[in-house]
Amino acid sequence: MSTLIVPAQVPSVADDCEQLQKAFKGWGTNEGLIISILAHRNAAQRKLIRQTYAETYGEDLLKALEKELTNDFERLVLLWTLDPPERDAFLANEAAKRWKSSNLVLVEIACTRSSHELLLARQAYHTRFKRSLEEDVAYHTTGDFRKLLVPLVSSYRYSGDEVNMTLAKSEAKILHEKIGDKACNHDDVIRILTTRSKAQINATLNQYKNAFGVDLNKDLEADPKDEFLAILGATVKCLTYPEKYFEETLRLAINKLGTDEGALTRVIVTRAEFDMKIIKDEYQKRNSVPLDRAIAKDTKGDYEKLLLALIGHEDA
Amino acid sequence: MSTLIVPAQVPSVADDCEQLQKAFKGWGTNEGLIISILAHRNAAQRKLIRQTYAETYGEDLLKALEKELTNDFERLVLLWTLDPPERDAFLANEAAKRWKSSNLVLVEIACTRSSHELLLARQAYHTRFKRSLEEDVAYHTTGDFRKLLVPLVSSYRYSGDEVNMTLAKSEAKILHEKIGDKACNHDDVIRILTTRSKAQINATLNQYKNAFGVDLNKDLEADPKDEFLAILGATVKCLTYPEKYFEETLRLAINKLGTDEGALTRVIVTRAEFDMKIIKDEYQKRNSVPLDRAIAKDTKGDYEKLLLALIGHEDA
């Protein structure tokens, strides 16, 4: 489901490094050359390029890129070049340090990644920041938000498909009761959403709809101004319909007065190699406009070119 | 620091399996033969034996042992034969299902294991129980105990030695305030103990002693009847002085009116291959009696023989 286009004949790593170095040399930077290489290499290939570049030129490729590039394009290239677990660790650290209740990045990383991917991100976090992710999240949050976010980022959910229907029924009832009582911060609500497997939560939401005739997420939207309800809703969406969550994030980022480049960049770099094809389909279905056209209308220059290349635009 | 004695010349795995099969055959079981093999093989060797036994005789070695053995000796052999992460998963599951506030097994597993060992146990838990450890712990606990235990078993602490002294000072102050106010279930107390690295917690406890002239654990003992304080004290001990925690657990297990075989078995099988030498030294220092003599006095038969073999008693 990746939108990444890797050529059938990939040049040698040494060649890629030489070309990148050429792109940095002399007056001005050859952004087109950088895009033509990095936008068409997968995570393993980029990792090898970074390693070989450091060995050959004695400088971290990320540092070299940082010196040459600026603004949105710089951030996009840097995030894209990072290995996915390292990138998640980096994004989660930024989000934890600047935490606001409107910031959904932690929920997104904790809930849309597989258990194994989240674990790799936590390991990369140790290596890079010499602390644990849950430690920083716990330190920078308070109250109900801490109560939800710390177990979310610490979770190592069972990934199997097995579902306990009796449990799904009883926990759907608990969720309905607590939401009805406006006790969405209740221990049991947090427990169910932060520890059950995605398959089990999905079964519980189905039972919720069967028994009470409405989507749980509709019930959570009762008070659109309540930021805790919003983050709970995002949790449920990320766990059960990540592609819809990402479509919505892209839609809001693009439709804003002045594009939200932070969200646009984040979703494109983190999903390009995973489920971007499905997200593009969702986007077209929901907006009656293809994602690449929407992005082309809203962005420009090298930033636009790289975004389009990553979502599989043929000309890029 | 292991007390396991593995012979210089270990028989082939096939030979070990054949001998074990012989020990099960005919009238009666040859417990001595079982001990002479399993008590002198390390985790990797036992794993290979289990694998080869299943391939050769079409039966899980654990099932065969279960049929042949009884009581404390059976439990000891079965737990010992398990791979350490599988064993931790098994013990944690038992503890989660039968949870009582006096049950310290979850704290012990969450806090005395390294971050990596705890992670392996959580992975083994998925495989064996088709659920996550934190899911079962959250389901079977309530209130303050849940608030402490779920993040403890979900933690993936940073394992480095780096310490932030400013933070240690400020968090020592927070802990002192909350304990003084009898608010030991305060979010910040839980946060510090469940997310900080062991090195950082150790530094915080040192600052506590420097600033307030008393060990934090002494302050927690203010009310010996308070089970939450007891479990908090055990958490601190397990994180910072696991060998003292294990010595105490053995001492209480042996000194009880009627030995506590559950605790005795658990500590011996889980620590024999890790730090049992240090625990034995601690035991002798604290009780003026060597651990093997204390165990020999309190237990008998094959159970005694295998315990002694595992703690490195030469004759066993």
Side-chain angles (χ1 to χ4, degrees):
Chain A
M1 306 297 166
S2 160
T3 48
L4 191 67
I5 302 172
V6 177
Q9 296 287 336
V10 178
S12 74
V13 185
D15 279 358
D16 275 350
C17 290
E18 206 189 316
Q19 291 299 310
L20 284 169
Q21 227 254 340
K22 265 192 198 156
F24 304 151
K25 263 194 177 162
W27 282 3
T29 305
N30 189 341
E31 284 87 359
L33 187 53
I34 295 174
I35 295 176
S36 74
I37 298 168
L38 292 179
H40 302 286
R41 301 292 180 272
N42 66 30
Q45 292 164 336
R46 297 193 308 276
K47 197 172 182 175
L48 210 56
I49 289 176
R50 213 180 136 191
Q51 217 172 302
T52 309
Y53 191 94
E55 286 162 15
T56 314
Y57 302 105
E59 185 179 20
D60 184 349
L61 176 61
L62 292 176
K63 290 263 173 276
L65 289 164
E66 227 180 295
K67 272 195 260 172
E68 299 293 328
L69 311 176
T70 53
N71 301 334
D72 296 330
F73 181 59
E74 174 190 358
R75 184 170 164 89
L76 177 60
V77 174
L78 292 179
L79 283 178
W80 171 247
T81 306
L82 282 172
D83 209 32
E86 241 186 307
R87 186 201 293 138
D88 278 348
F90 179 86
L91 291 169
N93 176 261
E94 264 187 355
K97 282 190 309 188
R98 299 186 203 157
W99 190 77
K100 291 181 304 174
S101 53
S102 59
N103 179 339
L104 296 176
V105 180
L106 290 170
V107 169
E108 182 179 307
I109 291 175
C111 301
T112 66
R113 286 13 171 198
S114 73
S115 297
H116 186 66
E117 285 163 2
L118 177 57
L119 175 65
L120 292 178
R122 291 169 79 188
Q123 293 178 326
Y125 202 100
H126 280 203
T127 308
R128 178 156 188 155
F129 301 107
K130 311 283 173 203
R131 289 188 306 276
S132 72
L133 170 57
E134 62 267 31
E135 181 175 1
D136 282 352
V137 171
Y139 187 65
H140 291 283
T141 54
T142 52
D144 288 341
F145 293 98
R146 183 194 275 172
K147 198 169 149 185
L148 174 68
L149 289 170
V150 174
L152 276 187
V153 301
S154 311
S155 68
Y156 182 65
R157 297 175 197 267
Y158 176 61
S159 324
D161 287 331
E162 299 88 343
V163 156
N164 179 334
M165 287 309 271
T166 316
L167 196 68
K169 278 182 196 166
S170 71
E171 296 195 335
K173 218 177 131 203
I174 294 176
L175 291 173
H176 188 252
E177 260 174 43
K178 299 307 170 197
I179 294 173
D181 294 348
K182 301 201 181 304
C184 291
N185 61 349
H186 189 277
D187 278 9
D188 275 331
V189 176
I190 307 278
R191 173 182 65 75
I192 293 167
L193 295 181
T194 59
T195 68
R196 293 299 184 200
S197 75
K198 294 184 183 180
Q200 183 68 37
I201 289 177
N202 196 52
T204 301
L205 297 185
N206 286 332
Q207 289 303 324
Y208 192 101
K209 201 169 177 177
N210 293 347
F212 310 111
V214 59
D215 276 328
L216 175 138
N217 253 356
K218 276 276 161 280
D219 282 342
L220 287 180
E221 284 165 11
D223 179 2
K225 278 191 192 142
D226 185 324
E227 288 189 318
F228 185 71
L229 288 191
I231 212 165
L232 220 51
T235 302
V236 171
K237 260 184 236 165
C238 284
L239 287 170
T240 52
Y241 290 104
E243 62 281 6
K244 289 197 178 170
Y245 165 83
F246 285 123
E247 181 282 320
E248 191 184 354
T249 306
L250 286 175
R251 172 160 35 97
L252 296 176
I254 291 171
N255 291 354
K256 247 189 189 164
L257 204 70
T259 316
D260 178 353
E261 285 86 4
L264 181 58
T265 298
R266 187 182 75 247
V267 174
I268 303 287
V269 293
T270 58
R271 307 323 299 168
E273 275 179 291
F274 294 93
D275 48 7
M276 186 47 84
K277 259 196 189 134
I278 314 177
I279 298 169
K280 272 168 74 178
D281 289 348
E282 281 291 329
Y283 191 91
Q284 168 120 32
K285 222 191 290 175
R286 176 68 177 74
N287 301 277
S288 310
V289 168
L291 179 61
D292 46 9
R293 207 184 305 157
I295 288 179
K297 214 182 126 197
D298 238 44
T299 59
K300 56 180 199 280
D302 299 316
Y303 179 61
E304 173 194 350
K305 273 186 211 145
L306 181 48
L307 287 176
L308 292 180
L310 293 180
I311 65 166
H313 201 68
E314 290 298 332
D315 313 334
Chain B
M1 303 298 167
S2 161
T3 49
L4 190 68
I5 302 172
V6 177
Q9 296 286 336
V10 178
S12 74
V13 186
D15 279 359
D16 276 350
C17 289
E18 205 189 317
Q19 291 299 309
L20 284 169
Q21 227 255 339
K22 266 191 200 159
F24 303 151
K25 264 194 176 163
W27 282 3
T29 305
N30 188 342
E31 284 86 359
L33 187 53
I34 296 174
I35 295 176
S36 74
I37 298 168
L38 292 178
H40 302 285
R41 301 292 182 272
N42 65 31
Q45 293 164 337
R46 296 195 306 277
K47 196 173 181 174
L48 210 57
I49 289 176
R50 212 179 137 191
Q51 217 173 300
T52 309
Y53 191 94
E55 286 162 13
T56 314
Y57 302 105
E59 186 180 20
D60 185 350
L61 176 60
L62 291 177
K63 291 264 173 275
L65 288 164
E66 228 179 294
K67 273 195 259 172
E68 298 293 327
L69 311 176
T70 53
N71 300 333
D72 296 331
F73 181 60
E74 175 190 357
R75 185 171 164 89
L76 178 60
V77 173
L78 292 178
L79 283 178
W80 172 247
T81 306
L82 282 173
D83 208 32
E86 240 186 309
R87 186 200 293 138
D88 278 349
F90 179 85
L91 291 168
N93 177 260
E94 264 188 355
K97 282 190 309 189
R98 298 185 204 158
W99 190 77
K100 290 182 306 176
S101 53
S102 58
N103 179 339
L104 296 176
V105 180
L106 290 171
V107 170
E108 184 179 306
I109 291 175
C111 301
T112 67
R113 286 12 171 200
S114 72
S115 297
H116 186 65
E117 285 164 1
L118 177 57
L119 175 66
L120 292 178
R122 291 168 79 188
Q123 292 178 326
Y125 202 101
H126 281 203
T127 309
R128 180 158 186 153
F129 301 107
K130 310 285 173 204
R131 288 188 306 276
S132 72
L133 170 57
E134 62 267 31
E135 180 174 2
D136 282 352
V137 172
Y139 188 65
H140 291 283
T141 55
T142 52
D144 288 343
F145 293 99
R146 181 194 278 175
K147 198 169 148 185
L148 174 68
L149 288 170
V150 174
L152 275 187
V153 301
S154 311
S155 68
Y156 182 67
R157 296 174 197 267
Y158 177 61
S159 323
D161 287 330
E162 298 88 343
V163 156
N164 178 334
M165 287 308 271
T166 316
L167 196 68
K169 278 181 195 167
S170 70
E171 296 195 336
K173 220 177 130 204
I174 295 176
L175 292 173
H176 188 253
E177 262 173 41
K178 300 307 171 197
I179 295 173
D181 294 349
K182 302 200 180 304
C184 291
N185 61 351
H186 189 277
D187 278 7
D188 275 330
V189 176
I190 307 278
R191 173 183 64 76
I192 294 167
L193 294 180
T194 59
T195 68
R196 294 299 185 197
S197 74
K198 294 185 182 179
Q200 182 68 35
I201 289 177
N202 196 53
T204 301
L205 297 185
N206 285 332
Q207 289 302 324
Y208 192 102
K209 201 170 178 175
N210 292 347
F212 311 111
V214 60
D215 276 328
L216 175 138
N217 252 356
K218 276 275 162 279
D219 283 342
L220 287 180
E221 285 165 11
D223 178 2
K225 278 190 194 144
D226 184 324
E227 287 189 317
F228 185 70
L229 288 191
I231 212 165
L232 219 51
T235 301
V236 171
K237 260 184 235 164
C238 285
L239 288 171
T240 52
Y241 290 103
E243 62 280 6
K244 288 196 179 171
Y245 165 84
F246 285 122
E247 181 283 319
E248 192 183 352
T249 305
L250 286 175
R251 171 159 35 95
L252 297 175
I254 292 170
N255 290 354
K256 251 192 186 159
L257 203 70
T259 315
D260 177 353
E261 284 87 4
L264 182 58
T265 298
R266 188 182 75 246
V267 174
I268 302 288
V269 294
T270 58
R271 307 322 300 166
E273 276 180 289
F274 294 92
D275 48 8
M276 186 47 84
K277 261 200 187 130
I278 314 178
I279 298 169
K280 272 168 73 178
D281 289 349
E282 280 292 329
Y283 191 91
Q284 167 119 32
K285 223 192 287 174
R286 176 68 178 71
N287 301 277
S288 311
V289 167
L291 179 61
D292 48 7
R293 209 184 304 156
I295 288 178
K297 216 182 125 197
D298 239 43
T299 59
K300 57 180 200 281
D302 299 315
Y303 179 60
E304 173 194 352
K305 274 186 210 144
L306 180 50
L307 287 176
L308 293 179
L310 294 180
I311 64 166
H313 200 69
E314 292 298 334
D315 312 335

